[in-house]
Amino acid sequence: MADAASRLRSLAERMLGAPLPLRIRAWDGSQAGPPGAPALVIRNRRALRRMLFKPGELGLARAWVAGDLDVEGDLYTALEAMAGSVWERGEDARTLTQALRDPEVRAAGRELLRLVGPPIPPAPPREEVRRRRHLHTRRSDSRAISHHYDVGNDFYELVLGPSMVYSCAYWEDGGSLESAQRDKLELVSRKLGLTPGQRLLDVGCGWGSMAIHAAREHGVSVVGITLSQEQAAFARKRVADEGLTDRVEIRVQDYRDVVDGPYDAISSIGMAEHVGAERYLEYARDLYGLLRPGGRLLNHQIARRPQRDESAYEVDPFIDAYVFPDGELAPIGTTVTQLERAGFEVRDVESLREHYARTLRRWVTNLEDDWGRAVRLTSPGRARVWRLYMAASALAFERNRIGVNQVLAIRTPDPGTSGLPLRTRTWNT
């Protein structure tokens, strides 16, 4: 009988209807596949049971998070190979149903069942969130934000670096991550036209970086809101250390509960992905109502490619279960339409897609360079979640599977005077 790696590789290729571009290294020490290619390491039979009882991406994710499945070699190369042969093959790829009609595939499947051992479904890793319908109530949003952001401030500082900015940086060739994040905050400030004495609402303020930058560099008064207790505590300490407590207030507050407008400007950086499609118009209308006439909104948001049938859109199961529970992405056209339906005049849209790919690669490097400490600060499973999520996201941005856009919108007064200069792109100089 063939060794485990050869048997698994044969099954995978029959299911795909195409050669597998990776080596397989199995628990019995056997290997099969192209020499020099990254290896998919199957450490034990439990990895196969996870994939059998939960076919598709979630089964693979469970095996990865639990440490039953690993990659030997460059993770990006392995993910690119898998993306090209599995996830991005398009309509010509055989579906699971089509593959199972093949007698050889069915025979190989029976062999796999004999290979995996006792047919007992393994429990999901403890890092997994029980999946549920996306309600986006105050309570469910608070739980989702806590799952993602209350991992530990020390862990985030290890990954993000001293800037503590958890969104796409704005790069120049040769620049550091810290300088690129500072340039992004300044780009947002210039688009909002911040001037001393104005009031800024920073929705989803994170660890306070935008609030501190706006107050220190532009003399505005800032209210930053977050649902994460850990973020708020960290941000308040930073504000105090900067001597800005008279100009920056950090609140643990839902955006639906902010009632102390009007504000001159609102920044929403990496926040709207958590709102959800059903709540997005409500979100946009709430922000519109908090702005004074002539006030500006800068919405910085990840976008997905549109689908032929938008009703068929499903949230990525790995992201939903392990990274951003209840997070949803929308095409940029949908976002612009919802902002306009809420009353905004959209004046500028800028894509920063390549910038986010570079940012994510730098975060992955930070994580890998201090892996032992990252594991101690969280858990082996949590660190593995972040490594896979950030590396895969970097490739998704590079391949134009997802993008990120800054949308500048105005609450334009009835006379139609936007308050913008005739040549608006001066903020990029």
Side-chain angles (χ1 to χ4, degrees), residues 343-415:
F344 283 105
E345 179 189 6
V346 172
R347 295 300 302 254
D348 187 80
V349 178
E350 181 176 7
S351 172
L352 302 179
R353 178 172 63 82
E354 294 86 351
H355 293 264
Y356 217 157
R358 184 179 294 193
T359 304
L360 283 155
R361 281 183 176 263
R362 191 63 59 88
W363 289 344
V364 171
T365 297
N366 289 346
L367 177 63
E368 292 177 339
D369 285 350
D370 208 352
W371 181 258
R373 181 165 176 259
V375 168
R376 291 193 300 273
L377 289 172
T378 52
S379 68
R382 181 69 63 197
R384 290 173 65 82
V385 165
W386 278 77
R387 182 172 178 237
L388 178 60
Y389 139 66
M390 293 191 298
S393 296
L395 293 175
F397 280 106
E398 290 168 358
R399 286 172 167 264
N400 192 28
R401 292 179 63 201
I402 54 176
V404 62
N405 304 280
Q406 288 190 350
V407 179
L408 178 66
I410 314 290
R411 179 173 174 169
T412 305
D414 289 338

Coordinates of all heavy atoms in Angstrom, one line a residue, residues 343-415:
G343 N -27.8 61.2 2.5 CA -27.8 62.6 2.4 C -26.4 63.2 2.0 O -26.3 64.4 1.7
F344 N -25.4 62.4 2.1 CA -24.0 62.9 1.9 C -23.8 63.2 0.4 O -24.4 62.6 -0.5 CB -23.0 61.9 2.3 CG -22.7 61.9 3.8 CD1 -23.2 60.8 4.5 CD2 -22.0 62.8 4.4 CE1 -23.0 60.7 5.9 CE2 -21.8 62.8 5.8 CZ -22.3 61.7 6.5
E345 N -22.9 64.2 0.1 CA -22.4 64.4 -1.2 C -21.0 63.8 -1.2 O -20.1 64.2 -0.5 CB -22.3 65.9 -1.6 CG -21.7 66.1 -3.0 CD -21.4 67.6 -3.3 OE1 -21.6 68.4 -2.4 OE2 -21.1 67.9 -4.4
V346 N -20.8 62.7 -2.0 CA -19.5 62.1 -2.1 C -18.6 62.9 -3.1 O -18.9 63.1 -4.2 CB -19.6 60.6 -2.6 CG1 -18.2 60.0 -2.9 CG2 -20.3 59.8 -1.6
R347 N -17.4 63.4 -2.6 CA -16.6 64.2 -3.3 C -15.3 63.6 -3.8 O -14.6 64.1 -4.7 CB -16.3 65.5 -2.5 CG -17.5 66.4 -2.2 CD -18.1 66.8 -3.5 NE -17.2 67.6 -4.3 CZ -17.3 68.9 -4.5 NH1 -18.2 69.6 -3.8 NH2 -16.4 69.6 -5.2
D348 N -14.8 62.6 -3.1 CA -13.6 62.0 -3.5 C -13.5 60.5 -3.1 O -14.0 60.2 -2.0 CB -12.4 62.7 -2.9 CG -11.0 62.3 -3.4 OD1 -10.7 62.7 -4.6 OD2 -10.4 61.5 -2.8
V349 N -13.0 59.7 -4.0 CA -12.7 58.3 -3.6 C -11.3 57.9 -4.0 O -10.9 58.1 -5.2 CB -13.7 57.3 -4.4 CG1 -13.4 55.9 -4.0 CG2 -15.2 57.6 -4.0
E350 N -10.5 57.4 -3.1 CA -9.1 57.1 -3.4 C -8.9 55.7 -2.9 O -9.1 55.3 -1.8 CB -8.2 58.0 -2.7 CG -6.7 57.7 -3.0 CD -5.7 58.7 -2.3 OE1 -6.2 59.6 -1.5 OE2 -4.5 58.6 -2.6
S351 N -8.3 54.8 -3.9 CA -8.0 53.5 -3.5 C -6.6 53.4 -3.0 O -5.6 54.0 -3.5 CB -8.1 52.6 -4.8 OG -7.6 51.3 -4.5
L352 N -6.4 52.7 -1.9 CA -5.1 52.4 -1.3 C -4.8 50.9 -1.2 O -4.1 50.5 -0.4 CB -5.1 53.0 0.1 CG -5.4 54.5 0.3 CD1 -5.3 54.9 1.8 CD2 -4.4 55.3 -0.5
R353 N -5.2 50.2 -2.3 CA -5.2 48.7 -2.2 C -3.7 48.2 -2.0 O -3.4 47.4 -1.2 CB -5.8 48.2 -3.5 CG -5.7 46.6 -3.6 CD -6.5 46.1 -4.8 NE -6.0 46.6 -6.1 CZ -4.9 46.0 -6.7 NH1 -4.3 45.0 -6.2 NH2 -4.5 46.5 -7.9
E354 N -2.8 48.7 -2.9 CA -1.4 48.3 -2.8 C -0.8 48.7 -1.4 O 0.1 48.0 -0.9 CB -0.6 48.8 -3.9 CG -1.0 48.3 -5.3 CD -2.1 49.1 -6.0 OE1 -2.7 50.0 -5.3 OE2 -2.4 48.8 -7.2
H355 N -1.2 49.8 -0.9 CA -0.7 50.2 0.4 C -1.0 49.2 1.5 O -0.2 49.0 2.4 CB -1.2 51.6 0.7 CG -0.8 52.7 -0.2 ND1 0.3 53.5 0.1 CD2 -1.2 53.1 -1.4 CE1 0.5 54.4 -0.8 NE2 -0.4 54.2 -1.8
Y356 N -2.3 48.7 1.4 CA -2.7 47.7 2.5 C -1.9 46.4 2.4 O -1.5 45.8 3.4 CB -4.2 47.5 2.5 CG -4.7 47.3 3.9 CD1 -6.1 47.5 4.1 CD2 -4.0 47.0 4.9 CE1 -6.6 47.4 5.4 CE2 -4.5 46.8 6.2 CZ -5.8 47.0 6.4 OH -6.3 46.9 7.7
A357 N -1.6 46.0 1.2 CA -0.8 44.8 1.0 C 0.5 44.9 1.6 O 1.0 44.0 2.4 CB -0.7 44.4 -0.5
R358 N 1.2 46.1 1.4 CA 2.5 46.3 2.0 C 2.4 46.4 3.5 O 3.3 45.9 4.3 CB 3.1 47.6 1.4 CG 4.5 47.8 1.9 CD 5.1 49.1 1.3 NE 5.3 49.0 -0.1 CZ 6.1 49.8 -0.8 NH1 6.7 50.9 -0.2 NH2 6.2 49.7 -2.1
T359 N 1.4 47.0 4.0 CA 1.2 47.1 5.5 C 1.0 45.7 6.1 O 1.7 45.4 7.1 CB -0.1 48.0 5.8 OG1 0.0 49.2 5.1 CG2 -0.3 48.2 7.3
L360 N 0.2 44.9 5.5 CA 0.0 43.6 6.1 C 1.3 42.7 6.1 O 1.6 42.0 7.0 CB -1.1 42.8 5.3 CG -2.5 43.3 5.6 CD1 -3.5 43.1 4.5 CD2 -3.0 42.6 6.9
R361 N 2.0 42.8 5.0 CA 3.3 42.1 5.0 C 4.2 42.5 6.1 O 5.0 41.7 6.7 CB 4.0 42.2 3.6 CG 3.4 41.3 2.5 CD 4.1 41.4 1.2 NE 3.6 40.5 0.2 CZ 4.1 39.3 -0.1 NH1 5.2 38.9 0.6 NH2 3.6 38.6 -1.0
R362 N 4.2 43.8 6.4 CA 5.1 44.3 7.5 C 4.6 43.8 8.8 O 5.4 43.4 9.7 CB 5.1 45.8 7.5 CG 6.2 46.4 8.4 CD 7.6 46.0 8.0 NE 7.9 46.5 6.6 CZ 8.4 47.7 6.3 NH1 8.6 48.5 7.3 NH2 8.7 48.0 5.1
W363 N 3.2 43.7 9.0 CA 2.7 43.2 10.3 C 3.1 41.7 10.4 O 3.4 41.3 11.5 CB 1.2 43.4 10.3 CG 0.7 44.8 10.5 CD1 1.4 45.9 10.9 CD2 -0.6 45.3 10.2 NE1 0.7 47.0 10.9 CE2 -0.6 46.7 10.5 CE3 -1.8 44.7 9.7 CZ2 -1.7 47.5 10.3 CZ3 -2.9 45.5 9.5 CH2 -2.9 46.9 9.9
V364 N 3.0 41.0 9.3 CA 3.4 39.5 9.4 C 4.8 39.4 9.8 O 5.2 38.5 10.6 CB 3.1 38.9 8.0 CG1 3.7 37.4 8.0 CG2 1.6 38.8 7.7
T365 N 5.7 40.2 9.2 CA 7.1 40.2 9.6 C 7.3 40.5 11.1 O 8.1 39.8 11.8 CB 7.9 41.2 8.8 OG1 7.8 40.9 7.4 CG2 9.4 41.3 9.2
N366 N 6.6 41.5 11.6 CA 6.6 41.8 13.0 C 6.3 40.6 13.9 O 6.9 40.3 14.9 CB 5.7 43.0 13.4 CG 6.3 44.3 12.9 OD1 7.4 44.4 12.5 ND2 5.4 45.3 12.9
L367 N 5.2 39.9 13.5 CA 4.7 38.7 14.2 C 5.7 37.6 14.1 O 6.0 37.0 15.2 CB 3.4 38.3 13.6 CG 2.7 37.0 14.2 CD1 2.4 37.2 15.7 CD2 1.5 36.6 13.4
E368 N 6.2 37.3 12.9 CA 7.1 36.2 12.8 C 8.5 36.4 13.5 O 9.1 35.5 14.0 CB 7.4 35.9 11.3 CG 6.1 35.4 10.6 CD 6.3 35.1 9.1 OE1 7.2 35.8 8.5 OE2 5.6 34.4 8.5
D369 N 8.9 37.7 13.5 CA 10.2 38.0 14.1 C 10.2 37.9 15.6 O 11.2 37.7 16.3 CB 10.6 39.5 13.8 CG 11.1 39.6 12.3 OD1 11.3 38.5 11.7 OD2 11.3 40.7 11.9
D370 N 9.0 37.9 16.2 CA 8.9 37.8 17.7 C 7.8 36.7 18.0 O 7.0 36.9 18.9 CB 8.5 39.2 18.3 CG 9.1 39.3 19.7 OD1 9.5 38.3 20.3 OD2 9.0 40.4 20.3
W371 N 7.9 35.6 17.3 CA 6.9 34.6 17.4 C 6.7 34.0 18.8 O 5.6 33.9 19.3 CB 7.1 33.5 16.4 CG 6.1 32.4 16.4 CD1 6.2 31.2 17.0 CD2 4.8 32.5 15.8 NE1 5.0 30.5 16.8 CE2 4.2 31.2 16.1 CE3 4.1 33.4 15.1 CZ2 2.9 31.0 15.7 CZ3 2.9 33.2 14.7 CH2 2.2 32.0 14.9
G372 N 7.8 33.7 19.5 CA 7.7 33.2 20.8 C 7.0 34.1 21.8 O 6.2 33.6 22.6
R373 N 7.3 35.3 21.7 CA 6.6 36.3 22.6 C 5.1 36.4 22.2 O 4.2 36.5 23.1 CB 7.3 37.7 22.6 CG 6.6 38.7 23.5 CD 7.5 39.9 23.7 NE 6.9 40.9 24.5 CZ 6.3 42.0 24.0 NH1 6.3 42.2 22.7 NH2 5.7 42.9 24.8
A374 N 4.8 36.4 20.9 CA 3.4 36.5 20.5 C 2.6 35.3 21.1 O 1.5 35.5 21.5 CB 3.4 36.5 19.0
V375 N 3.2 34.1 21.0 CA 2.5 33.0 21.6 C 2.3 33.1 23.1 O 1.2 32.8 23.6 CB 3.3 31.7 21.2 CG1 2.7 30.5 22.0 CG2 3.2 31.4 19.7
R376 N 3.3 33.6 23.8 CA 3.2 33.8 25.2 C 2.1 34.8 25.6 O 1.4 34.7 26.6 CB 4.5 34.2 25.8 CG 5.6 33.1 25.8 CD 6.7 33.4 26.7 NE 7.4 34.6 26.3 CZ 8.4 34.7 25.4 NH1 8.8 33.6 24.8 NH2 9.0 35.9 25.1
L377 N 1.9 35.9 24.7 CA 1.0 36.9 25.0 C -0.5 36.5 24.7 O -1.4 37.1 25.3 CB 1.3 38.2 24.2 CG 2.6 38.9 24.6 CD1 2.9 40.0 23.6 CD2 2.4 39.6 26.0
T378 N -0.7 35.5 23.9 CA -2.0 35.1 23.5 C -2.2 33.6 23.7 O -2.4 33.1 24.8 CB -2.3 35.5 22.1 OG1 -1.3 35.0 21.2 CG2 -2.4 37.0 21.9
S379 N -2.0 32.9 22.7 CA -2.0 31.4 22.7 C -1.4 31.0 21.3 O -1.4 31.7 20.4 CB -3.5 30.9 22.8 OG -4.2 31.1 21.6
P380 N -0.9 29.7 21.2 CA -0.4 29.3 19.9 C -1.5 29.4 18.8 O -1.2 29.8 17.7 CB 0.0 27.8 20.2 CG 0.3 27.8 21.7 CD -0.7 28.7 22.3
G381 N -2.7 29.0 19.2 CA -3.8 29.1 18.2 C -4.1 30.5 17.7 O -4.3 30.7 16.5
R382 N -4.2 31.4 18.7 CA -4.5 32.8 18.3 C -3.4 33.4 17.4 O -3.6 34.1 16.5 CB -4.6 33.6 19.6 CG -5.0 35.1 19.3 CD -6.3 35.3 18.7 NE -7.4 34.8 19.7 CZ -8.6 34.6 19.3 NH1 -9.0 34.7 18.1 NH2 -9.5 34.2 20.2
A383 N -2.1 33.1 17.8 CA -1.0 33.6 17.0 C -1.1 33.0 15.6 O -0.8 33.7 14.6 CB 0.3 33.3 17.6
R384 N -1.4 31.7 15.4 CA -1.6 31.1 14.1 C -2.7 31.7 13.3 O -2.6 31.9 12.1 CB -1.8 29.6 14.3 CG -0.5 28.9 14.8 CD -0.8 27.4 15.1 NE -1.2 26.7 13.9 CZ -0.3 26.2 13.1 NH1 1.0 26.4 13.3 NH2 -0.7 25.5 12.0
V385 N -3.8 32.1 14.0 CA -4.9 32.8 13.3 C -4.4 34.0 12.7 O -4.7 34.3 11.5 CB -6.1 33.1 14.3 CG1 -7.0 34.1 13.7 CG2 -6.8 31.8 14.7
W386 N -3.7 34.8 13.5 CA -3.2 36.1 12.9 C -2.2 36.0 11.8 O -2.3 36.8 10.9 CB -2.7 36.9 14.1 CG -3.8 37.6 14.9 CD1 -4.6 37.0 15.8 CD2 -4.2 38.9 14.7 NE1 -5.6 37.9 16.2 CE2 -5.3 39.1 15.6 CE3 -3.8 40.0 14.0 CZ2 -6.0 40.3 15.7 CZ3 -4.5 41.2 14.1 CH2 -5.6 41.3 15.0
R387 N -1.4 35.0 11.9 CA -0.4 34.8 10.9 C -1.0 34.5 9.5 O -0.8 35.0 8.5 CB 0.6 33.8 11.3 CG 1.8 33.5 10.2 CD 2.8 32.6 10.7 NE 3.8 32.4 9.7 CZ 4.2 31.2 9.2 NH1 3.6 30.1 9.7 NH2 5.1 31.1 8.3
L388 N -2.0 33.5 9.6 CA -2.7 33.1 8.4 C -3.6 34.2 7.8 O -3.6 34.5 6.6 CB -3.5 31.9 8.7 CG -4.4 31.3 7.5 CD1 -3.5 30.9 6.3 CD2 -5.2 30.2 7.9
Y389 N -4.3 34.9 8.7 CA -5.2 35.9 8.3 C -4.5 37.1 7.6 O -4.9 37.6 6.6 CB -6.1 36.4 9.5 CG -6.3 37.8 9.6 CD1 -7.1 38.5 8.7 CD2 -5.8 38.5 10.7 CE1 -7.4 39.9 8.9 CE2 -6.1 39.9 10.9 CZ -6.8 40.5 10.0 OH -7.1 41.9 10.1
M390 N -3.4 37.5 8.2 CA -2.7 38.7 7.6 C -2.0 38.3 6.4 O -2.0 39.1 5.4 CB -1.8 39.3 8.7 CG -2.5 39.9 9.9 SD -1.4 40.9 10.9 CE -0.2 39.6 11.5
A391 N -1.4 37.1 6.3 CA -0.7 36.7 5.1 C -1.6 36.5 3.9 O -1.4 37.0 2.8 CB 0.1 35.5 5.3
A392 N -2.7 35.9 4.2 CA -3.7 35.6 3.2 C -4.4 37.0 2.7 O -4.6 37.2 1.5 CB -4.8 34.7 3.7
S393 N -4.6 37.9 3.6 CA -5.2 39.2 3.3 C -4.2 40.0 2.4 O -4.6 40.7 1.5 CB -5.5 40.0 4.6 OG -6.5 39.3 5.3
A394 N -2.9 39.9 2.7 CA -1.9 40.6 1.9 C -2.0 40.1 0.5 O -2.0 41.0 -0.5 CB -0.5 40.4 2.5
L395 N -2.1 38.8 0.2 CA -2.2 38.3 -1.1 C -3.5 38.7 -1.8 O -3.6 39.0 -3.0 CB -2.1 36.8 -1.1 CG -0.7 36.3 -0.7 CD1 -0.7 34.7 -0.6 CD2 0.4 36.7 -1.7
A396 N -4.6 38.7 -1.0 CA -5.9 39.1 -1.5 C -5.9 40.6 -2.0 O -6.4 40.9 -3.1 CB -7.0 39.0 -0.5
F397 N -5.2 41.5 -1.3 CA -5.1 42.8 -1.8 C -4.2 42.9 -3.0 O -4.5 43.6 -4.0 CB -4.5 43.7 -0.7 CG -5.5 44.2 0.3 CD1 -5.5 43.6 1.6 CD2 -6.4 45.1 0.0 CE1 -6.4 44.0 2.6 CE2 -7.4 45.6 1.0 CZ -7.4 45.0 2.3
E398 N -3.1 42.1 -3.0 CA -2.2 42.2 -4.2 C -2.9 41.6 -5.4 O -2.6 42.1 -6.5 CB -1.0 41.3 -3.9 CG 0.0 42.0 -2.9 CD 1.0 41.1 -2.3 OE1 1.1 39.9 -2.7 OE2 1.8 41.6 -1.5
R399 N -3.8 40.6 -5.3 CA -4.5 40.0 -6.4 C -5.8 40.8 -6.8 O -6.5 40.3 -7.7 CB -4.8 38.6 -6.1 CG -3.6 37.6 -6.1 CD -3.9 36.3 -5.6 NE -2.9 35.3 -5.9 CZ -2.9 34.5 -7.0 NH1 -3.9 34.5 -7.8 NH2 -1.9 33.6 -7.2
N400 N -6.1 41.9 -6.1 CA -7.3 42.6 -6.4 C -8.5 41.8 -6.1 O -9.6 42.0 -6.7 CB -7.3 43.1 -7.9 CG -8.4 44.2 -8.1 OD1 -8.8 44.9 -7.2 ND2 -8.9 44.3 -9.3
R401 N -8.5 40.9 -5.1 CA -9.7 40.3 -4.7 C -10.4 41.1 -3.7 O -11.6 41.0 -3.6 CB -9.3 38.9 -4.0 CG -8.7 37.9 -5.0 CD -8.4 36.6 -4.3 NE -9.5 36.0 -3.7 CZ -9.4 35.1 -2.8 NH1 -8.3 34.8 -2.2 NH2 -10.5 34.5 -2.3
I402 N -9.7 42.0 -3.0 CA -10.3 43.0 -2.1 C -9.5 44.3 -2.2 O -8.4 44.3 -2.7 CB -10.3 42.5 -0.6 CG1 -8.9 42.1 -0.1 CG2 -11.3 41.4 -0.4 CD1 -8.9 41.8 1.4
G403 N -10.1 45.4 -1.8 CA -9.4 46.7 -1.9 C -9.7 47.5 -0.6 O -10.5 47.0 0.3
V404 N -9.2 48.6 -0.6 CA -9.5 49.6 0.5 C -9.6 51.0 0.0 O -8.8 51.3 -0.9 CB -8.5 49.5 1.7 CG1 -7.1 49.8 1.2 CG2 -8.9 50.3 2.9
N405 N -10.6 51.7 0.4 CA -10.8 53.0 -0.2 C -11.1 54.1 0.9 O -11.7 53.8 1.9 CB -12.1 53.0 -1.1 CG -11.9 51.9 -2.2 OD1 -11.3 52.1 -3.2 ND2 -12.5 50.8 -2.0
Q406 N -10.6 55.3 0.6 CA -11.0 56.4 1.4 C -12.0 57.2 0.7 O -11.8 57.7 -0.5 CB -9.8 57.3 1.7 CG -8.8 56.7 2.7 CD -7.7 57.6 3.2 OE1 -7.6 58.8 2.7 NE2 -7.0 57.2 4.2
V407 N -13.2 57.4 1.3 CA -14.3 58.1 0.7 C -14.5 59.4 1.5 O -14.7 59.4 2.7 CB -15.6 57.3 0.7 CG1 -16.7 58.1 0.0 CG2 -15.4 56.0 -0.1
L408 N -14.3 60.6 0.8 CA -14.6 61.9 1.4 C -16.0 62.3 1.1 O -16.3 62.4 -0.1 CB -13.6 62.9 1.0 CG -13.8 64.3 1.5 CD1 -13.6 64.3 3.1 CD2 -12.9 65.3 0.9
A409 N -16.8 62.5 2.1 CA -18.2 62.9 1.8 C -18.5 64.1 2.7 O -18.0 64.3 3.7 CB -19.2 61.8 2.2
I410 N -19.4 65.0 2.1 CA -19.8 66.3 2.8 C -21.3 66.3 3.1 O -22.1 65.8 2.3 CB -19.5 67.5 1.8 CG1 -18.1 67.3 1.2 CG2 -19.6 68.8 2.5 CD1 -16.9 67.5 2.1
R411 N -21.6 66.9 4.2 CA -23.0 67.2 4.5 C -23.2 68.6 3.9 O -23.1 69.6 4.6 CB -23.3 67.2 6.0 CG -24.7 67.6 6.3 CD -25.2 67.5 7.7 NE -26.5 68.0 7.9 CZ -27.3 67.9 9.0 NH1 -26.8 67.2 10.0 NH2 -28.5 68.4 9.0
T412 N -23.4 68.6 2.6 CA -23.4 69.9 1.8 C -24.7 70.6 2.2 O -25.8 70.1 2.1 CB -23.4 69.6 0.3 OG1 -22.3 68.8 0.0 CG2 -23.4 70.9 -0.5
P413 N -24.6 71.9 2.6 CA -25.8 72.7 2.9 C -26.7 72.9 1.7 O -26.3 72.7 0.5 CB -25.2 74.1 3.4 CG -23.7 73.8 3.6 CD -23.3 72.7 2.7
D414 N -27.9 73.3 2.0 CA -28.9 73.5 0.9 C -28.4 74.4 -0.2 O -28.7 74.2 -1.4 CB -30.2 74.0 1.5 CG -30.9 72.9 2.3 OD1 -30.6 71.7 2.0 OD2 -31.8 73.2 3.1
P415 N -27.7 75.5 0.1 CA -27.3 76.3 -1.1 C -26.3 75.7 -2.0 O -26.0 76.2 -3.1 CB -26.6 77.5 -0.4 CG -27.2 77.6 1.0 CD -27.4 76.2 1.3

